[in-house]
Amino acid sequence: MKKIFTFIKDFLIERIIFLCGILAIIFVFLIFLFLLNQGISFFGAYSLWDFLGGKFWYPASDPPQFGILSLVIGSLFVTIQAALISIPLGVMTALFIAEIAPPVIKDILKSVVELLAAIPSVVIGFIGMITLVPLVRKLFNIPTGLSSFSGALMLAFMAMPTIVSISEDAIRSVPWSYKEGAIALGATRWQTMYRIILPASLPGIMGAVMLGMGRVIGETMAVMMITGNAAHIPSSVFDPVRTMTATIAAEMGETVKGSTHYHSLFAIGLVLFIITFIINFIADTFMRKTRR
Amino acid sequence: MTAVKWHIICLIITGVSLYLISCNRKPGSSDQQEYKKAIQIKGSDTMVNLVQAWAEEFISNHPDVNLGITGGGSGTGIAALLNHSCDITMSSRSIEEKEMEEAEANNIHPVEFIVGLDGLIIIVNNENPVIELDLDQVRDIFLGRIDNWKNTGGYNSKIVILSRESNSGTYTFFKERVLKRGNKNSKEEFSPHALLMPSSQAIVNEISQNPHAIGYVGMGYAHARVKSLKLKDTSKPADADPVAPTIDNVLNGSYPISRPLFLYTNGEPSGNIKVFIDFALSERGQIIVRETDFVPIK
């Protein structure tokens, strides 16, 4: 009797777990379909070429202009800068935590870095707006501190936890035998790290970097508060930029449901979805390589 | 492990009891549709401070009424009225024809109340030597035709233009009145270099610490940390004096950029919604309008 009960319980729990797993896939798929459905109808009213290649974003004007070139460039520009700042910092922090730091410091550092991930982005944005923006303006003597550079600095902070903790896992999963081999050959600590550990964990680190970038490009609140939101193609890192995410967030509340403007925001969402999908796909490919 | 379990159980108990308590406090009021206890007010960021001031006084006289006030912009507020997600919309522009059609299609009948006047002020940093501009200069700055302060009598430095997002009634009003001069066919647009800020407070914050910036906000945001410019109406004779943005100058019409402030309801208001709007239009309500740096209509 008890056996049958256990059997049924096992069976049910297995099904529930299966359902949960499948649900995630269904949701992603449904979200994509919804975006596609809402976004595609935009191209009935506006040409795809003008949308992707247009430089001007004046959605509330008459006639409206829906060119997202400057928005896409804005998003990528901020993301690349954030990458240049956060990758060296993040990977070196991960190396330090995994290889050099004594256990006590290691524990403290790890939990503090993870705590960084817990700060809501609106708080980061607010702190950036009050402290970083005036500082950047005075430091570089530029017209305004609301620039892609300030945004990238703040975003680099937000990408750090992802990059550090996943890189650290990758570095720690390098087999001991590799290190023993290197040390046996007379390599110094730095030589071991640089020649053996880093190359061995590189795919994992690349995966970490791509995931971090995925977070940066999708980040909304902080960039909306710090980057200035001027929809033009930046000519230097100190120019303000407007990102795709900030545009959606700032304008979604106002649009009349079903209008061209409303659908155009979904079309931006679609572009964003495709970009993050590609980034995640690359990250996944790298992560898979590490496991082999 | 057991400690964790106990924590969870405690949390659940607290949660359930809090829920029960809150249920007890708000007895079901289905028979009191007329006298709604919770009124949602949404819309113009410019008017949030004013409506909040009304609400504080209103609640002290009607403690049983709950007022929820949120900003987001006039466009957001009107959209909310059309979606049935608010009872009163605050708007710093009148409802557009397109929105009116949309409303009728959704079986909503917006009723308009003018509750005060607002002057838009052009603000710069206190360190900026410029104290007055004429309307042509203001227009050319925001169009991007003048991009250096030295062309308007200031230091040799680039002008940083601050604007609101396009969902703001202030944005629409400024564009119609200052950039397009009321000409519907005009194609003038804000310079693409203009920084679009999420709120009026964000504009004031940035200007208070940036000597190169210029922006526009409602009179309610006038603040010692920023300087409001005197404006010269270019349609008036050349020797006319520039006009300071004061309540008197808005009332007598000499200040060139001012606008009415509206409340919208769905259909003729009744119950507590009517009581609230009557209060806003009452003598006391209009004193509050003046206290929050807007211009009363009576």
Side-chain angles (χ1 to χ4, degrees), chain B residues 182-194:
Chain B
N183 176 1
K184 285 253 180 241
N185 299 321
S186 160
K187 291 269 177 275
E188 305 289 16
E189 280 296 347
F190 280 99
S191 157
H193 292 273

Side-chain angles (χ1 to χ4, degrees), chain B residues 254-294:
Chain B
S254 61
Y255 186 72
I257 343 178
S258 66
R259 59 178 176 178
L261 300 172
F262 301 98
L263 291 182
Y264 285 97
T265 57
N266 176 16
E268 280 299 329
S270 59
N272 279 330
I273 298 178
K274 180 171 166 42
V275 179
F276 181 76
I277 288 181
D278 287 345
F279 170 71
L281 293 169
S282 70
E283 202 174 317
R284 178 67 199 137
Q286 291 296 308
I287 290 173
I288 295 175
V289 170
R290 187 176 266 272
E291 281 171 356
T292 43
D293 291 328
F294 291 109

